[in-house]
Amino acid sequence: MTVSESGTSALDVDTDDERVAGLVDLVTVADGTTDTIPVEAPFDGEQVGAIPACGEADVDVAVERAREAQQSWADRSIAEREEVLSRFQDLVLDRQSELLDVVQLETGKARRTAFEEVQSCALTAGYYSHRGERFLGREKRKGVVPGMTQVEVNHTPVGVAGLISPWNYPFELALSDALPALLAGNAVVLKPAEQTSFTALKGKQLLEEAGLPADLFQVVTGRGPDVGPAMTDRVDYVGFTGSTETGRIVGEQAGRNLLKYSLELGGKNPALVFPDADLDRAVEGLVHGSFSNAGQLCISIERCYVHEDVYDEFLERFVAATENVELGTGYDFEAEVGSLVSEEQLEKVTEHVEDAKARGATVHTGGEPRPDVGPYFFEPTILTDVEMDMDLCCEETFGPVVSVYPFSDTDEAIAEANDTDYGLNASVWTGDTEFGREVARQIRAGTVNVNEAYAAAYSSIDAPMGGMKDSGVGRRHGPEGVKKYTEPQTVAVQKGQGMAPPDGVPYWLYAKVTTGALKLFDKVPGLR
């Protein structure tokens, strides 16, 4: 098995769109890999190019090259690694327009949503570029015997981190997970979603322009069943963002291999609107929180619980605001909502809505595909009278569809919000922020926003983000988001007397003195 000097083998792959021209050359492939996968633009369904359909042999090459590059990268100072992230942030901001074009081309999302995605990635790069030493430097800890036991903790890189990223936020969720892994001294092998691999390759291109060694960040494109298991068998850490169903498979394989892993999975996220909420603000926030990226966002709102005192007024305003949402395919900032990513996604959303309608749900607005706008567009949709036996009630729809329910008291609302296998994100709307915090603490979700749908918590990069219950394992963002890519190592230096009784001292006396010392240490604040 060989690989060319540049890290790729020559493939006869046509690229039909100049915005992604040359990016396929950044894929790591082994000699003999010739199969390809077409990539289409959701706005019009036309093919824009093709990517290599990689498999086990290609993963072998990628991991081998990454592992060879990792040691010299880990030997660099944390400050040097921070500089690469800082330069990457500058490139993302300076080249924003071309990035937005590629993101829109592959996902079909509105440019506003693409802008949010690119800005979030830049925010992550900037955050970690200033905190490497704080999070990864040697930590002094208290020793068992004050003054005689000196303890420090080192954060050593795991080695090669394998990341499997989804199609809905292909730039942010590929790069924002890779950046802290690289900062921690690891190499990365990335398997992006086959629908949106060009976006991830654009990120690799910018990282290398920022000074990252080329072999350190490998991209292997292809179908999940062909690449994912092979990667999980070869890397030292696996991170996955996607469906709960696939996450269980990844977690099971990682467990068999005794790998550290993180999973950010599905959500059926609730919003709770209390009678003292600012309804104008709540309606505006929940229109964005429910329909941004055509609802293809794991932390978007799919269930709204509204207090009966304001239910009718909220629903009327919510429907009116949703009917004014502008759909579009433009590469400008005019449209608010773009396309679903594929025919498969359109079919799933349509099936959920049609099942609910057939079982008695009421559609207040939307409810239909919009082929007049583009092949995979679906109208922003609001339903009521959604019951537990409907797929729409409990399963993640991942589309521009939200159901609205009345409630009569706080305990009922919290119980309804928690009545799901998921626990990723939630939203609370109230004029009393202390009350909002108290409600939030009772909701079993990894992030809860008060008077916001999702952006306040997700964009606060200093705080951890992830799911409870079936919504995942582990966290991204904050110190947790970089330390997960390390192995903590404790180094203890003992001075003077060791941990055993001195020669000639009977053990009963040693035990008595040690017990007295422990009692003393517990009562003296400086010794605890």
Side-chain angles (χ1 to χ4, degrees), residues 355-401:
D355 173 76
K357 288 164 60 177
R359 293 170 181 263
T362 301
V363 176
H364 291 263
T365 187
E368 299 291 339
R370 288 292 301 274
D372 57 308
V373 183
Y376 310 134
F377 274 78
F378 196 91
E379 294 177 320
T381 301
I382 298 172
L383 301 97
T384 59
D385 307 312
V386 175
E387 303 293 342
M388 289 293 293
D389 63 344
M390 301 176 187
D391 294 339
L392 183 69
C393 181
C394 301
E395 294 183 17
E396 184 179 37
T397 302
F398 221 60
V401 180

Side-chain angles (χ1 to χ4, degrees), residues 39-43 48 99-111 113-114 117 166-171 193 195-197 199 293-294 296 331 338-342 376-377:
V39 178
E40 69 173 14
F43 278 162
V48 300
L99 277 171
L100 296 180
D101 285 350
V102 176
V103 170
Q104 283 193 277
L105 180 69
E106 287 198 295
T107 65
K109 64 177 61 178
R111 200 168 188 83
T113 309
E117 173 176 0
W167 47 259
N168 60 326
Y169 281 75
F171 188 73
Q195 301 98 318
T196 54
S197 294
T199 299
N293 200 31
Q296 298 167 120
Y331 285 83
S339 175
L340 294 170
V341 75
S342 64
Y376 310 134
F377 274 78

Side-chain angles (χ1 to χ4, degrees), residues 2 10 78 138 352 394 407 467:
T2 60
I78 294 174
R138 293 178 182 174
H352 272 204
C394 301
F407 71 85

Side-chain angles (χ1 to χ4, degrees), residues 25-63:
D25 294 334
L26 298 173
V27 180
T28 301
V29 294
D31 283 348
T33 297
T34 58
D35 291 342
T36 62
I37 301 170
V39 178
E40 69 173 14
F43 278 162
D44 56 18
E46 296 296 319
Q47 182 172 332
V48 300
I51 55 170
C54 295
E56 188 170 346
D58 309 287
V59 175
D60 278 333
V61 170
V63 174

Side-chain angles (χ1 to χ4, degrees), residues 111-175:
R111 200 168 188 83
R112 300 181 187 189
T113 309
F115 173 78
E116 293 173 1
E117 173 176 0
V118 170
Q119 291 294 301
S120 182
C121 186
L123 186 66
T124 300
Y127 172 82
Y128 284 115
S129 72
H130 294 291
R131 291 168 176 81
E133 189 64 42
R134 185 191 312 176
F135 294 159
L136 300 170
R138 293 178 182 174
E139 297 180 36
K140 291 185 177 181
R141 300 288 181 93
K142 286 186 177 295
V144 61
V145 181
M148 296 180 66
T149 309
Q150 296 179 339
V151 177
E152 67 181 26
V153 175
N154 300 317
H155 298 283
T156 62
V158 294
V160 177
L163 303 178
I164 304 170
S165 62
W167 47 259
N168 60 326
Y169 281 75
F171 188 73
E172 182 191 0
L173 294 179
L175 277 299

Side-chain angles (χ1 to χ4, degrees), residues 192-234:
E194 52 265 37
Q195 301 98 318
T196 54
S197 294
F198 286 124
T199 299
L201 290 166
K202 189 68 177 176
K204 174 180 168 64
Q205 184 184 67
L206 293 184
L207 276 172
E208 292 180 4
E209 287 187 38
L212 190 77
D215 286 348
L216 199 69
F217 186 81
Q218 304 284 324
V219 178
V220 183
T221 60
R223 299 176 181 87
D226 297 329
V227 177
M231 179 187 295
T232 306
D233 279 339
R234 289 160 175 78

Side-chain angles (χ1 to χ4, degrees), residues 132-365:
E133 189 64 42
R134 185 191 312 176
F135 294 159
L136 300 170
R138 293 178 182 174
E139 297 180 36
K140 291 185 177 181
R141 300 288 181 93
K142 286 186 177 295
V144 61
V145 181
M148 296 180 66
T149 309
Q150 296 179 339
V151 177
E152 67 181 26
V153 175
N154 300 317
H155 298 283
T156 62
V158 294
V160 177
L163 303 178
I164 304 170
S165 62
W167 47 259
N168 60 326
Y169 281 75
F171 188 73
E172 182 191 0
L173 294 179
L175 277 299
S176 289
D177 281 345
L179 293 173
L182 294 167
L183 178 64
N186 300 287
V188 169
V189 177
L190 171 68
K191 189 276 174 201
E194 52 265 37
Q195 301 98 318
T196 54
S197 294
F198 286 124
T199 299
L201 290 166
K202 189 68 177 176
K204 174 180 168 64
Q205 184 184 67
L206 293 184
L207 276 172
E208 292 180 4
E209 287 187 38
L212 190 77
D215 286 348
L216 199 69
F217 186 81
Q218 304 284 324
V219 178
V220 183
T221 60
R223 299 176 181 87
D226 297 329
V227 177
M231 179 187 295
T232 306
D233 279 339
R234 289 160 175 78
V235 297
D236 306 303
Y237 179 102
V238 63
F240 171 80
T241 303
S243 71
T244 297
E245 180 183 8
T246 304
R248 292 185 191 279
I249 297 171
V250 174
E252 181 181 356
Q253 186 179 2
R256 289 199 306 270
N257 293 338
L258 297 180
L259 288 185
K260 296 180 70 174
Y261 66 95
S262 58
L263 309 171
E264 193 213 282
L265 309 176
K268 192 72 178 175
N269 308 301
L272 282 62
V273 181
F274 288 92
D276 63 344
D278 180 334
L279 291 190
D280 289 336
R281 184 176 175 185
V283 166
E284 180 184 9
L286 289 172
V287 167
H288 180 77
S290 302
F291 306 127
S292 180
N293 200 31
Q296 298 167 120
L297 174 60
C298 55
I299 51 177
S300 68
I301 302 302
E302 293 197 7
R303 300 178 290 146
C304 284
Y305 298 95
V306 184
H307 193 276
E308 59 189 10
D309 289 352
V310 293
Y311 176 83
D312 291 336
E313 183 180 0
F314 171 85
L315 182 60
E316 181 180 357
R317 292 193 191 186
F318 193 35
V319 169
T322 299
E323 289 175 342
N324 287 327
V325 169
E326 183 175 344
L327 306 180
T329 62
Y331 285 83
D332 53 37
F333 289 102
E334 295 305 312
E336 296 172 80
V337 173
S339 175
L340 294 170
V341 75
S342 64
E343 182 177 3
E344 179 183 9
Q345 199 62 25
L346 176 65
E347 289 175 353
K348 178 183 177 182
V349 173
T350 303
E351 287 171 2
H352 272 204
V353 173
E354 290 302 317
D355 173 76
K357 288 164 60 177
R359 293 170 181 263
T362 301
V363 176
H364 291 263
T365 187

